[in-house]
């Protein structure tokens, strides 16, 4: 661990903690109390007041166990999960019975329907944070690009993206203006644009792609109107393309990105071969919500929450890192990202050290990080947040590994 800490000291530059650029927050969220105390900017009094009210409500639910159980029970009833068609007529959600049917589509297929579901606790945190200001909302933009090589056809790419939107209900989700519910629409047109850059040189093409990604990072997603998933395709040459995908974190997590990339790859390979591909069933996000609200799972989740609330009932003070500037009095969303690549020889030595301690590489590296943080701060009591894919918690459900949505814990 000491050798690894020394290695980090050598590899990280002296300005590793600079905050010169705006980058999206990946699988991190801002707690409601921290957010309410942070939005003290003049001119945001109305929003701040709303956030404080919502924060008090959330804290009341967390502290008042009978109220929390009563609220969970009322949400779990079918009366709180409604289906409405385009003219606003409410209906009832059909039971899933363990199947993976596409809910909310009228029998004749002529009318669009919308299914209303409550937000999950992590979604509530993200929705609350997005109300603070535009910078806070943009902090949850997820933008990434993939390069395609071969005989790519724009219409085929658009068709495959449409299949993904039709397949995963979270990509068709919008939210009520007051954050009380999320609305999952029946399949509709995917937000797709195409631009031919084949006549431009490599430098110009790279600039255009970078510009497109910056635009998506700076663009504010309308959580009420949507869409919350956007795509752009750029043709660079006859056999080279770049696909830019953007989504709000409230409908997609890191695991979901991997799911979409794998499914896109498999569908396009099948298209090139001229064969039909039927993907294995994918669990829908509304099914994930219903699983969380089931009484037997609710008790397990409540027990886990109570454990962690007690475990972190007394948190240490904020860690002061030896940065080149002090912590700002008001939380901002300016940030930078530093990636560190371990050379193969050192990586293998770390794996061997982890095996010698009979632990995983992840646990060993986490221990090294905490040891390094101790060296930087002198603090022995450190709390480190680790994102975990919630898809894996739904063990035993068909298609849980293909679930797309905000499931991160």
């Amino acid at each position: 661990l000491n050798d690894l800490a020394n290695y980090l000291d050598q590899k990280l530059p002296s300005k590793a903690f600079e905050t010169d650029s705006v980058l999206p927050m990946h699988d991190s969220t801002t707690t409601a109390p921290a957010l309410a105390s942070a939005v003290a900017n003049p001119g945001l009094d109305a929003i701040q007041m709303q956030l404080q009210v919502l924060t008090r409500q959330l804290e009341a639910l967390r502290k008042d166990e009978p109220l929390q159980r009563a609220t969970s029970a009322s949400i779990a009833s079918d009366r709180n999960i409604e289906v409405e068609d385009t003219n606003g007529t409410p209906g009832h959600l059909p039971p899933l019975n363990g199947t993976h049917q596409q809910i909310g589509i009228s029998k004749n297929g002529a009318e669009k329907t919308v299914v209303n579901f409550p937000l999950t606790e992590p979604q509530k945190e993200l929705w609350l944070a997005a109300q603070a200001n535009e910078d806070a909302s943009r902090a949850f933009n997820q933008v990434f690009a993939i390069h395609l090589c071969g005989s790519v056809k724009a219409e085929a790419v658009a068709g495959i993206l449409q299949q993904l939107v039709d397949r995963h209900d979270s990509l068709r989700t919008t939210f009520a203006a007051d954050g009380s519910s999320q609305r999952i629409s029946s399949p509709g047109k995917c937000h797709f644009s195409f631009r031919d850059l084949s006549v431009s040189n490599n430098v110009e093409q790279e600039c255009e792609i970078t510009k497109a990604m910056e635009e998506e990072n700076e663009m504010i997603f309308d959580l009420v109107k949507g869409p919350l998933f956007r795509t752009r395709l750029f043709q660079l040459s006859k056999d080279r393309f770049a696909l830019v995908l953007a989504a709000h974190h409230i409908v997609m997590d890191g695991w979901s990105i991997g799911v979409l990339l794998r499914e896109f790859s498999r569908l396009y390979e099948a298209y090139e071969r001229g064969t039909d591909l039927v993907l294995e069933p994918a669990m829908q996000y509304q099914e994930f919500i219903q699983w969380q609200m089931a009484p037997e799972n609710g008790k397990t989740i409540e027990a886990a929450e109570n454990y962690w609330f007690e475990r972190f009932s007394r948190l240490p003070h904020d860690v002061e890192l030896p940065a080149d500037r002090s912590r700002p009095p008001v939380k901002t969303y300016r940030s930078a990202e530093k990636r560190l690549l371990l050379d193969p020889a050192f990586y293998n030595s770390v794996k061997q050290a982890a095996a010698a301690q009979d632990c995983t590489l992840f646990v060993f590296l986490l221990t090294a990080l905490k040891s390094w943080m101790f060296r930087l701060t002198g603090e022995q009591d450190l709390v480190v947040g680790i994102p975990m894919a919630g898809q894996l918690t739904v063990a035993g459900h068909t298609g849980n590994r293909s679930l797309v949505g905000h499931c991160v814990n």
Side-chain angles (χ1 to χ4, degrees):
L1 293 177
N2 195 50
D3 290 342
L4 184 55
N6 288 329
Y7 185 86
L8 292 171
D9 286 337
Q10 296 171 7
K11 292 295 184 180
L12 284 175
S14 59
K15 296 184 178 181
F17 302 102
E18 284 191 359
T19 57
D20 292 331
S21 60
V22 178
L23 289 174
M25 297 171 63
H26 295 290
D27 280 335
S28 60
T29 56
T30 303
T31 60
L35 179 64
S37 63
V39 289
N41 296 330
L44 293 177
D45 294 341
I47 294 180
Q48 184 178 4
M49 184 178 300
Q50 181 186 11
L51 290 175
Q52 289 173 346
V53 172
L54 291 172
T55 298
R56 287 195 292 270
Q57 292 173 344
L58 289 173
E59 289 303 309
L61 284 174
R62 286 173 176 166
K63 294 178 181 178
D64 192 329
E65 293 184 6
L67 176 61
Q68 186 178 18
R69 286 194 292 268
T71 304
S72 300
S74 66
I75 290 177
S77 69
D78 285 342
R79 291 174 298 175
N80 284 44
I81 302 177
E82 294 185 341
V83 182
E84 60 183 56
D85 58 27
T86 50
N87 59 20
T89 304
H92 294 285
L93 179 69
L96 293 175
N97 297 325
T99 63
H100 296 266
Q101 58 187 332
Q102 199 70 43
I103 304 173
I105 304 175
S106 57
K107 292 182 179 180
N108 57 16
E111 294 180 343
K112 283 188 177 181
T113 57
V114 175
V115 185
N116 292 316
F117 273 88
L119 278 67
T120 63
E121 288 300 320
Q123 283 184 314
K124 289 178 183 177
E125 291 187 4
L126 263 66
W127 182 90
L128 191 63
Q131 310 309 305
N133 53 53
E134 293 184 351
D135 285 340
S137 180
R138 279 191 289 258
F140 297 104
N141 289 12
Q142 296 188 123
V143 183
F144 54 100
I146 58 176
H147 288 267
L148 309 174
C149 299
S151 56
V152 178
K153 293 184 179 180
E155 58 271 20
V157 173
I160 293 172
L161 292 172
Q162 184 65 59
Q163 289 185 57
L164 296 179
V165 171
D166 294 345
R167 172 175 166 83
H168 299 288
D169 59 359
S170 62
L171 303 182
R172 311 188 304 273
T173 299
T174 54
F175 294 80
D178 60 358
S180 60
S181 64
Q182 54 188 311
R183 302 160 58 85
I184 302 175
S185 301
S186 56
K189 189 174 182 180
C190 174
H191 189 280
F192 174 82
S193 65
F194 170 73
R195 186 177 177 187
D196 189 348
L197 298 177
S198 57
V199 297
S200 303
N201 59 45
N202 291 340
V203 175
E204 293 172 338
Q205 291 175 349
E206 189 66 30
C207 288
E208 288 298 325
I209 296 174
T210 301
K211 179 182 176 182
M213 296 186 68
E214 291 176 348
E215 288 175 354
E216 293 293 348
N217 265 320
E218 291 295 319
M219 194 175 298
I220 298 176
F221 281 95
D222 189 330
L223 300 184
V224 177
K225 297 180 180 179
L228 304 184
F229 177 66
R230 300 189 293 253
T231 63
R232 303 189 192 189
L233 180 65
F234 297 90
Q235 182 172 357
L236 308 179
S237 66
K238 183 179 179 181
D239 56 358
R240 290 176 51 249
F241 290 76
L243 178 63
V244 176
L245 306 176
H248 195 282
H249 193 28
I250 200 169
V251 297
M252 183 188 299
D253 55 18
W255 180 282
S256 303
I257 294 174
V259 171
L260 292 179
L261 292 180
R262 286 192 298 272
E263 291 183 352
F264 180 90
S265 176
R266 292 182 60 192
L267 288 169
Y268 202 88
E269 288 176 357
Y271 165 79
E272 286 190 321
R273 293 194 303 266
T275 59
D276 293 330
L277 174 65
V278 178
L279 296 172
E280 60 277 4
M283 187 177 186
Q284 299 300 297
Y285 195 68
Q286 51 195 296
E287 295 178 281
F288 176 72
I289 296 174
Q290 288 182 321
W291 172 83
Q292 283 192 329
M293 295 188 304
E296 62 274 15
N297 296 321
K299 292 180 180 179
T300 303
I301 294 173
E302 183 179 3
E305 286 181 346
N306 290 337
Y307 170 83
W308 288 111
F309 278 133
E310 181 179 355
R311 177 68 178 81
F312 292 111
S313 59
R314 294 184 179 181
L315 292 177
H317 59 79
D318 292 338
V319 175
E320 293 296 335
L321 297 173
D324 57 355
R325 69 196 74 180
S326 59
R327 187 188 300 273
V330 178
K331 180 180 177 64
T332 69
Y333 290 86
R334 296 181 61 82
S335 63
E337 185 180 71
K338 176 64 181 179
R339 293 180 179 268
L340 180 66
L341 295 178
L342 305 180
D343 60 73
F346 187 77
Y347 169 73
N348 288 329
S349 67
V350 172
K351 286 188 66 177
Q352 293 173 5
Q357 297 298 324
D358 196 24
C359 67
T360 65
L361 178 62
F362 172 80
V363 170
F364 189 84
L365 290 175
L366 177 60
T367 306
L369 173 65
K370 287 199 170 187
S371 302
W372 186 50
M373 295 291 287
F374 167 75
R375 292 182 56 178
L376 292 175
T377 65
E379 298 288 343
Q380 297 187 29
D381 193 5
L382 296 167
V383 176
V384 178
I386 303 297
M388 186 195 75
Q391 287 88 340
L392 300 180
T393 64
V394 200
H397 283 252
T398 304
N400 66 309
R401 289 180 174 270
S402 299
L403 171 60
V404 171
H406 184 75
C407 306
V408 65
N409 293 319

